[in-house]
Amino acid sequence: MKDDFPSPDLHAWYDAMWARAHGAIAAGDIERDERVLAGPDPRRGLTLVARPGAALTKRFDALLERLAQAEPGQYRHPPADLHLTVLSLFTVTEDPGAQLARLDAYRAAVHAALKGIEAFEIAFAGITLSRGAVMACGYPRGPALETLRERLRIQLRARGLDASLDQRYRLVTAHATLFRFAAPLRQPARFAALLEELRHAPLGSMRVDQLELVINDWYMSSGSLQRVELLRLPGRPERAAQPYGV
């Protein structure tokens, strides 16, 4: 691929995220998302996502079960909602009408960016944290994900569609959000110890051979999600998912 872009040091990113959040969580200092339990979210955005396969989803759900047993008052992402964000084409907003009126232009940008991108794999090992969530750490095998993200940014800017691009932060990681804090922690020190236990747990891998362009709420809830298009990536036959490092 001629236009590869340098990949970030994801181990360093995830370690830095962990260092910023773990001590705070142990002290009960979390960022609560009370909206996540309040019913359907009316906000909408447009996102390109990849979905984990059945084997990896099962491993994510087993990890979620342990987290939910330790702190049952929090929000556990259902299996159908689990995803990896390739790029948010525009961030969720209460009034997405102007952006959705240009949906064909967004689709054209995605199609242009995908030319020459083949199926790729992302390995998952362990978890990292923010003060608001627990995430599975993903590590792309090769530069395809970073290349695709940069191509998307270029194509969106070329079409004047970059007004809310990277608005919250520039996406460089390959994480999957699993668990969100929605209520005060009942036993923060004990929960932090469980997180430490799970920090390097092997999880598995996902083969990204198709992507979904979706209109979504903040949480990628399957109940409100609208699929705009399913995009398939060419590549070799799928290998069985294995825990990272095995």
Side-chain angles (χ1 to χ4, degrees):
M1 209 175 289
K2 293 183 180 180
D3 54 353
D4 288 348
F5 294 84
S7 297
D9 182 349
L10 291 182
H11 288 283
W13 273 92
Y14 295 139
D15 286 349
M17 292 171 67
W18 178 279
R20 287 193 297 268
H22 186 258
I25 291 171
D29 180 15
I30 58 172
E31 291 183 352
R32 293 165 51 191
D33 183 348
E34 298 178 355
R35 180 70 188 77
V36 72
L37 299 179
D41 179 4
R43 300 169 294 176
R44 293 293 182 269
L46 184 67
T47 311
L48 191 65
V49 301
R51 300 287 188 181
L56 182 58
T57 296
K58 185 176 181 180
R59 286 178 176 270
F60 283 164
D61 205 43
L63 187 150
L64 277 165
E65 183 64 23
R66 294 191 64 184
L67 297 177
Q69 286 181 356
E71 286 287 342
Q74 312 305 327
Y75 181 76
R76 167 183 179 170
H77 277 270
D81 298 358
L82 295 172
H83 67 282
L84 178 142
T85 297
V86 174
L87 197 69
S88 176
L89 307 189
F90 71 82
T91 303
V92 294
T93 175
E94 293 181 356
D95 185 15
Q99 292 95 327
L100 292 179
R102 301 193 66 189
L103 185 57
D104 286 344
Y106 280 105
R107 292 179 67 180
V110 170
H111 280 267
L114 281 173
K115 289 180 179 178
I117 299 289
E118 296 184 345
F120 56 95
E121 291 192 6
I122 299 175
F124 283 86
I127 59 172
T128 191
L129 312 167
S130 70
R131 287 176 51 241
V134 180
M135 294 153 277
C137 299
Y139 300 90
R141 290 171 171 158
L145 177 61
E146 186 64 16
T147 297
L148 176 55
R149 283 173 170 166
E150 290 303 324
R151 285 191 186 182
L152 284 165
R153 292 180 177 112
I154 290 168
Q155 293 296 333
L156 291 167
R157 291 189 187 105
R159 292 166 172 80
L161 299 172
D162 58 333
S164 68
L165 188 60
D166 296 323
Q167 191 174 59
R168 288 193 300 152
Y169 54 83
R170 183 179 178 84
L171 183 60
V172 298
T173 63
H175 68 273
T177 301
L178 304 178
F179 193 81
R180 295 179 187 270
F181 299 126
L185 296 176
R186 300 179 183 187
Q187 296 181 298
R190 181 180 174 186
F191 187 68
L194 174 61
L195 295 174
E196 186 73 55
E197 180 184 339
L198 297 172
R199 184 178 181 184
H200 300 294
L203 292 169
S205 63
M206 62 184 283
R207 178 176 172 80
V208 181
D209 54 13
Q210 62 182 27
L211 301 169
E212 295 179 37
L213 181 61
V214 298
I215 298 170
N216 57 280
D217 66 9
W218 184 265
Y219 310 105
M220 204 64 62
S221 305
S222 55
S224 60
L225 183 140
Q226 296 173 257
R227 181 192 285 175
V228 175
E229 191 169 0
L230 182 67
L231 303 128
R232 302 189 186 279
L233 304 180
R236 291 174 294 179
E238 184 177 1
R239 297 185 304 171
Q242 296 292 331
Y244 185 48
V246 174

